[in-house]
Amino acid sequence: MKRDKNHVYIFDTSLRDGEQSPGNSMNTEEKLLLARQLEKLGVDIIEAGFPIASEGDFDAVRQIAREIRKSQVAGLARANKQDIDRAWQAIKGAAHPRIHTFISSSDIHLKYQLKKSRVQVLREAAAAVKLAKSYTPNVEFSPMDATRSDRNYLAEMVSAVIDAGAVTVNIPDTVGYAVPDEFGSLIAFLFDRVKNMGDTVISVHCHNDLGLAVANSLAAIRAGARQVECTINGIGERAGNTAMEEIVMALATRRDLFGLTTQIKTDQIYKTSRLLTQITGIPVQPNKAIVGANAFAHESGIHQDGLIKEKITYEIMTPQSVGISDSHIVLGKHSGRAAISQHLKKMGYILNEDQLNRVAAKVKDLADVKKDIYDEDMEAILYEEIYRGEEKYNLIYLNVVSGNVAIPTATMEMQVGKEVIRDAGFGNGPVDATFAAIRNITKTNYPLLKYAVNAITGGADAQGETMVQLKYNGNSVIGRGAHPDVIVASAKAYINALNRLEFLKDNAKKVKLELS
Ligand code: KIV
Ligand code: ZN
């Protein structure tokens, strides 16, 4: 079938480039959950991970490949046999598998990192594509650090990998060095210079070190690129990658200018962003384009006046178009199981009997202390009760005494593996005492880097959403918790961070990835 030249492929790398950045590590269950939502969102390609990196990565990629049927599933591999074989083993069960192989093309990387000549690297790039091609026709190649490479050598490499069978060639701005005009002209140069380009899809993969990832990707699209590699909320190495929601909404909102389409269901954008936040505990900044809390909030009187008269005065896209509905009351004390089930279906969640019973019980508990329950509350319940995998540490009960005359004291019972342990902690306030109790029970003492509380929805009875960041081995983990009682929410966040830390320790087995 002939490719639609006006279609921009959306290649989501949240589970690979995104996941490898600090604080964003996910366990297999969480990766699956996000992959399912990415498919619902309509991304063309899900880069599920780097299978050679660890057993955990391999297993997650394999499970995603087996389950996802509509989106293509890509596995990353350096340009060598071991990586490519491993990537293929992980993705071969996919309905539409893709091998994404890469090697650096800049002299800086060749000299200092690979310690190889241009000729040798060119040969390895073509050989890697040929090997990948023996497994699947769907092969993508990336010349890493392309934007700091000699243009003629880059063109030679692009041409060589196309000859070897690459159907997509991705041009990465690995260190976020390019600026839009320059990057657009690099893409135009490649179209002009590479004579065997044919039907090859030129892709771009921009990092945001100078805050230009989205602008660079758009400039590349104008020059003919038809695949954009991006991540939800822009997560990724250092300053992150091109934000999916921004690139997609730029193309949709300025269709008059670009004349291009994606197959993204934009009304799933906000939900996907929220899911990632729930999983990683990393919130988006309030003024973040498209998905930030203030992205559609108009404060200035002049703007509000205009909006009341006619929305188009100050609104270039609607919150509904990205799936942000006015937070409406969805359920309350008297909502039955059927109403809960029906509402969850409307939100896109289909639960089995047991899951529905558990969620319904939690909704009832919450409704006892909170009058109105919103979509955001439901999402917090769903994530905490259903989607979190089996964990080492669990809260059983917490009792806190505090005030201006008592020494704040927390008494707590927790499940630690198969054991139930009870202990107490003292502190200068109820949160401090709670954290001390957790440390005593778990016999851990990781430095606390950050603690924050937010209200999920408005009102004094809103659920508190808390975030705890713990330091571990020069790294950090973030945990989150939600509960109408902020002290309980804080305990949950601390415990969640400890559980994530356990996962990180398991993952420490990850091989040190050196470019060979
Ligand atoms: O930034 C980069 O160059 C990458 C490649 C592996 C595509 O992530
Ligand atoms: Zn990258």
Side-chain angles (χ1 to χ4, degrees), residues 401-440:
V401 179
S402 155
N404 63 352
V405 286
I407 295 176
T409 309
T411 314
M412 186 179 244
E413 194 169 272
M414 281 177 67
Q415 177 109 34
V416 179
K418 291 199 169 18
E419 263 186 284
V420 171
I421 304 177
R422 186 184 302 175
D423 209 331
F426 306 99
N428 61 11
V431 174
D432 197 33
T434 301
F435 290 175
I438 298 174
R439 283 195 294 270
N440 291 341

Side-chain angles (χ1 to χ4, degrees), residues 8-20:
V8 176
Y9 292 94
I10 298 298
F11 176 115
D12 185 278
T13 184
S14 305
L15 289 166
R16 199 278 298 168
D17 210 320
E19 204 259 349
Q20 74 195 41

Side-chain angles (χ1 to χ4, degrees), residues 27 43 173 196 241 295 303 328 330 361 407 428 451 479 484:
N27 63 34
V43 307
D173 183 22
N196 56 347
N241 289 66
H303 289 203
H328 49 279
V330 295
I407 295 176
N428 61 11
Y451 165 68

Side-chain angles (χ1 to χ4, degrees), residues 41-62:
L41 177 67
V43 307
D44 299 273
I45 304 113
I46 297 171
E47 186 162 55
F50 199 174
I52 195 85
S54 70
E55 280 301 320
D57 278 42
F58 177 84
D59 192 48
V61 177
R62 190 171 50 173

Side-chain angles (χ1 to χ4, degrees), residues 362-424:
K362 287 290 160 187
V363 171
K364 289 263 175 228
D365 287 351
L366 184 60
D368 279 339
V369 289
K370 186 175 189 293
K371 197 164 126 266
D372 303 320
I373 297 179
Y374 299 84
D375 281 354
E376 289 87 341
D377 295 316
M378 295 297 287
E379 278 169 357
I381 290 175
L382 276 170
Y383 182 65
E384 288 206 351
E385 298 306 320
I386 308 294
Y387 295 123
R388 248 181 215 175
E390 213 168 272
E391 296 180 323
K392 178 172 175 183
Y393 302 112
N394 285 291
L395 175 66
I396 300 175
Y397 87 70
L398 170 65
N399 184 42
V400 181
V401 179
S402 155
N404 63 352
V405 286
I407 295 176
T409 309
T411 314
M412 186 179 244
E413 194 169 272
M414 281 177 67
Q415 177 109 34
V416 179
K418 291 199 169 18
E419 263 186 284
V420 171
I421 304 177
R422 186 184 302 175
D423 209 331

